[in-house]
Amino acid sequence: MSIKNFFVVLLVTIGAACNKKQTTTPIYNAPPNDQHISILTQHTDNSRAGFNSNETKLTTSNVNTSQFGKLFSLPVDDQVYAQPLVVGNLNISNGNHNVVFIAAVSNSVYAYDADNGTLYWQKNFSAPGMRAPRASDMTGACGGFYQDFSGSIGIVGTPVIDSISKTMYFVARNTNGSNTFNQYLHAINIVTGAEVNGSPVQIAATYNGNGDGSVNNIINFDSQKQNQRQALILVNGRIFVSFSSHCDWGPYHGWILGYNANNLQQEIVYNDTPDGIYGGIWESGMGLAADNQGSLYAVTGNGTVGVGNDPTNPRNRGESAMKLSVNAGSLKVETYFTPFNFQILEQQDLDYGVMGTFLIPNSNYYFTGCKDGNLYLLNKDNMGGYQLSSNQVQQTIPLGVDANLHCQPSYYKGAGKEFLYVWSENDPLRAFPFNRGSNTLELNNQLTYNGGGPKGQSGAMLTVSSNGDVAGTGIVWAAYAKTGDAEHAVSPGVLRAFDATDISKLLWSNDEKPAQDAAGTYAKFSSPVVANGHVYLATFSNSVAVYGIK
């Protein structure tokens, strides 16, 4: 065999091995774990409140520099934008294990033992003969100077897992490096990594309308320009996938597509600006929220509002929050809110849909925010619509014009204490008590942490853990860029932990002992995952750092 042919065979063999089920030796000698909690979707559940109330190991007493720190890292082949997901007590590799699933922008997916770092399988899901697109492939974005992504743009939106069928759903993007771009919805078996029957399906859609890019009153989905940034969501047997853009590179629209989770047949198509422009669904990488009745909740960015001179017409709903219900193959706007000054927001690029949003658990209220620094508390069943000169909403909370709210807020409920947390760039970490009597946030009783925080144009990604309402177990976890502007640059990251009942108390920070605890560079819009005594932190350093009790 010639040297050339030898290396060809070697490369083929290595490539085949990388796509097979495999087991490596453990990275970490972990004690047995009696916790088996699953985190199957972005920010814990479909409320997107980011609250794991079933964490029994981590407390305000043991999360400190002497007892808590980095245990090991899980290597992957590229940056991680998607939040890792955890399945507890999964029957895999001849035993039951807690497993963490990681999706990288190379279109690779990994299944690791969540407690000791054993690799169970890894696989790349790029289409044959294609690769993940890169920022340089978005030639018209930001006038040709696109920096919102620093490299590849394969799997970006956080997947979702159905623990009953043991299926993971995600979107992988592909290009041939020329003018061919496509996006595929995949459904894979989480035990083996194999595609399930009918997977993948190429994402395509059309919608009736005369908006930007329409031809003969038909708008076609554009696989290059439509950015699948948000997390996927599983609701009543359907997978919903939502889209924004690359730096407002048009023509684009805000799309929501619904697929049957069993056979991946497309059943729902919705476009939020069919007779206009833009309307991307961003929410700092969080996903659509859903209530127990199956209604979806979305917030849209810059784009057309109303039809003609009627801003109350629900057909075009840029710059708005919406409650959507399934209706005859599409989604119907049940109620909405559009700020009275939406024209100014539009002109100054202060879009509404920038902040992650969530439904306050066991309430009728939806927490949202706008790039102009205003937080809004909305009645989810009567959001307030559009009013000419004022906003008719439950509550408005101004943080200031520098708080652009590129962030993911979170929630906590303890014994007699209930808080909503938000940490925007250029603003302190804030904890607002939620009053169930008035259904408002108590601004006069808010708590703050003023010890320095995120700058630039990316705020903090927050998650909360506790052991129910047991005192001394509520912890707010915050990940953000320690320095630099993470919107357009890869920056060093920091992970911090605060007492959930008094956020002025910093419990632990991974920059206190950087030699042991540093994770790497900050993964923009990927929140920490807390499960089974561990914290999983995605990075742009081609790894996920794992923290726990040492």
Side-chain angles (χ1 to χ4, degrees):
M1 180 184 294
S2 69
I3 293 294
K4 178 180 178 182
N5 288 340
F6 170 79
F7 279 109
V8 169
V9 171
L10 179 62
L11 290 172
V12 170
T13 303
I14 292 173
C18 287
N19 283 327
K20 289 182 178 180
K21 182 179 179 182
Q22 55 189 283
T23 300
T24 61
T25 56
I27 295 174
Y28 179 70
N29 185 20
N33 196 339
D34 58 357
Q35 278 198 99
H36 306 289
I37 298 300
S38 297
I39 306 294
L40 306 175
T41 191
Q42 195 274 339
H43 239 211
T44 308
D45 58 35
N46 283 357
S47 75
R48 306 299 187 193
F51 179 36
N52 175 11
S53 61
N54 296 293
E55 174 51 53
T56 61
K57 293 182 183 295
L58 303 178
T59 70
T60 58
S61 298
N62 60 27
V63 175
N64 54 57
T65 54
S66 62
Q67 294 174 270
F68 182 85
K70 184 179 174 184
L71 304 178
F72 55 94
S73 289
L74 303 173
V76 296
D77 63 5
D78 212 326
Q79 298 174 333
V80 181
Y81 279 75
Q83 176 193 291
L85 299 175
V86 176
V87 178
N89 210 32
L90 178 66
N91 191 331
I92 188 172
S93 189
N94 300 314
N96 284 12
H97 306 273
N98 296 328
V99 181
V100 59
F101 294 89
I102 305 167
V105 292
S106 58
N107 288 331
S108 293
V109 178
Y110 297 75
Y112 277 105
D113 190 291
D115 297 321
N116 65 32
T118 299
L119 176 63
Y120 294 122
W121 59 259
Q122 67 182 91
K123 185 174 181 180
N124 185 272
F125 291 91
S126 293
M130 305 187 84
R131 59 164 171 82
R134 304 186 183 107
S136 57
D137 293 314
M138 304 304 160
T139 53
C142 294
F145 297 95
Y146 188 48
Q147 297 177 300
D148 289 5
F149 289 90
S150 61
S152 295
I153 316 174
I155 302 171
V156 177
T158 299
V160 65
I161 294 175
D162 182 349
S163 62
I164 303 300
S165 66
K166 295 182 173 56
T167 305
M168 173 191 281
Y169 303 88
F170 58 88
V171 172
R173 291 180 257 195
N174 306 272
T175 182
N176 64 354
S178 182
N179 58 358
T180 299
F181 294 83
N182 56 50
Q183 301 188 34
Y184 282 92
L185 175 62
H186 292 260
I188 64 170
N189 184 302
I190 60 175
V191 176
T192 65
E195 303 268 10
V196 305
N197 290 336
S199 175
V201 295
Q202 187 169 351
I203 292 176
T206 60
Y207 205 84
N208 293 330
N210 59 15
D212 197 18
S214 63
V215 177
N216 297 322
N217 290 319
I218 298 292
I219 300 173
N220 283 283
F221 180 89
D222 188 321
S223 290
Q224 181 184 19
K225 295 179 179 178
Q226 296 292 164
N227 180 10
Q228 205 292 290
R229 186 64 190 90
Q230 272 205 314
L232 279 63
I233 189 169
L234 173 61
V235 183
N236 293 340
R238 287 192 181 95
I239 301 296
F240 288 95
V241 189
S242 50
F243 298 85
S244 55
S245 72
H246 297 282
C247 199
D248 285 335
W249 180 27
Y252 80 90
H253 299 268
W255 294 82
I256 301 175
L257 307 178
Y259 294 83
N260 186 300
N262 291 323
N263 56 29
L264 297 190
Q265 295 298 304
Q266 188 180 87
E267 297 179 340
I268 304 291
V269 177
Y270 175 72
N271 185 311
D272 61 27
T273 54
D275 299 322
I277 62 173
Y278 302 169
I281 305 172
W282 307 89
E283 299 185 29
S284 292
M286 287 177 66
L288 300 171
D291 62 22
N292 292 334
Q293 290 71 47
S295 295
L296 299 175
Y297 296 82
V299 179
T300 62
N302 293 335
T304 302
V305 174
V307 175
N309 294 321
D310 180 11
T312 66
N313 190 310
R315 181 164 167 81
N316 296 303
R317 285 261 71 85
E319 300 282 13
S320 300
M322 298 182 291
K323 176 182 180 178
L324 301 158
S325 63
V326 175
N327 183 61
S330 187
L331 294 173
K332 177 184 177 183
V333 179
E334 295 288 349
T335 181
Y336 71 90
F337 165 62
T338 304
F340 78 92
N341 62 338
F342 74 87
Q343 295 97 334
I344 296 175
L345 301 179
E346 187 74 13
Q347 293 165 7
Q348 299 182 9
D349 192 31
L350 296 174
D351 39 319
Y352 188 4
V354 64
M355 188 183 84
T357 63
F358 65 83
L359 294 164
I360 300 176
N362 303 309
S363 82
N364 285 335
Y365 296 94
Y366 183 39
F367 186 55
T368 71
C370 181
K371 201 192 290 187
D372 65 357
N374 283 320
L375 300 172
Y376 294 101
L377 190 61
L378 309 178
N379 184 322
K380 72 181 185 66
D381 299 320
N382 183 14
M383 290 186 173
Y386 169 76
Q387 307 295 326
L388 183 61
S389 58
S390 64
N391 294 323
Q392 302 299 312
V393 298
Q394 182 71 8
Q395 190 175 13
T396 302
I397 304 101
L399 299 186
V401 294
D402 291 330
N404 291 159
L405 293 169
H406 296 88
C407 59
Q408 295 183 0
S410 199
Y411 165 88
Y412 165 72
K413 188 178 189 305
K417 292 181 180 290
E418 191 169 6
F419 291 103
L420 277 65
Y421 307 91
V422 63
W423 200 354
S424 177
E425 62 269 48
N426 312 310
D427 199 64
L429 170 60
R430 298 177 186 269
F432 297 102
F434 181 54
N435 187 317
R436 293 264 170 180
S438 61
N439 289 312
T440 59
L441 304 181
E442 297 179 353
L443 305 188
N444 292 335
N445 293 321
Q446 69 174 292
L447 306 175
T448 61
Y449 171 76
N450 296 288
K455 303 294 183 182
Q457 288 295 308
S458 184
M461 311 299 116
L462 304 182
T463 302
V464 179
S465 64
S466 77
N467 181 11
D469 60 4
V470 176
T473 65
I475 300 174
V476 178
W477 302 89
Y480 60 90
K482 186 176 181 181
T483 61
D485 185 350
E487 182 179 21
H488 293 137
V490 175
S491 304
V494 63
L495 175 66
R496 290 184 166 182
F498 301 85
D499 187 324
T501 61
D502 183 0
I503 58 170
S504 69
K505 297 178 181 178
L506 175 63
L507 303 173
W508 174 88
S509 181
N510 72 344
D511 60 358
E512 294 180 84
K513 293 183 177 180
Q516 299 100 314
D517 292 338
T521 48
Y522 167 66
K524 183 168 64 173
F525 302 146
S526 183
S527 61
V529 178
V530 186
N532 308 316
H534 295 98
V535 181
Y536 303 90
L537 184 67
T539 76
F540 282 178
S541 298
N542 296 12
S543 66
V544 168
V546 184
Y547 295 86
I549 303 301
K550 293 183 290 189

